Amino acid sequence: QREKEAFQREKDEMRENNIGAELLPFIPHTSDEITMAVLRLIINLSFDTGIRTQLVKDGVIPKMVKPLNMLP
């Protein structure tokens, strides 16, 4: 239960701080590991309707297409 509450708080904080705009410079990144970590974070956060709306508004989704297409 504590972990779920902590995740919810952190997710809400990311939404309030407009996480999508903050992540844009890392898509793509010169480090494949960082690019993959950011893509995973975005995919996980996209299950939240508010964050998903921000990601679309900030233009994050189109920037994700090329790195995702490069996956094996």
Side-chain angles (χ1 to χ4, degrees), residues 4-63:
K4 186 176 179 181
E5 291 171 2
F7 175 76
Q8 185 66 40
R9 273 194 313 275
E10 291 169 1
K11 187 174 57 120
D12 292 344
E13 187 174 324
M14 285 187 244
R15 184 185 322 107
E16 291 167 9
N17 290 311
N18 198 14
I19 189 69
E22 297 295 325
L23 293 174
L24 274 174
F26 300 100
I27 311 169
H29 192 271
T30 54
S31 164
D32 290 341
E33 291 83 16
I34 290 176
T35 299
M36 290 306 298
V38 170
L39 291 174
R40 283 188 198 102
L41 175 61
I42 291 169
I43 290 167
N44 287 331
L45 291 173
S46 71
F47 289 95
D48 179 275
T49 306
I51 294 175
R52 186 171 53 245
T53 300
Q54 282 182 349
L55 294 172
V56 171
K57 272 189 200 174
D58 292 336
V60 173
I61 306 306
K63 286 194 76 170

Side-chain angles (χ1 to χ4, degrees), residues 27-28 35 39 60-71:
I27 311 169
T35 299
L39 291 174
V60 173
I61 306 306
K63 286 194 76 170
M64 290 177 61
V65 173
K66 186 175 181 182
L68 287 172
N69 282 333
M70 294 174 68
L71 294 175

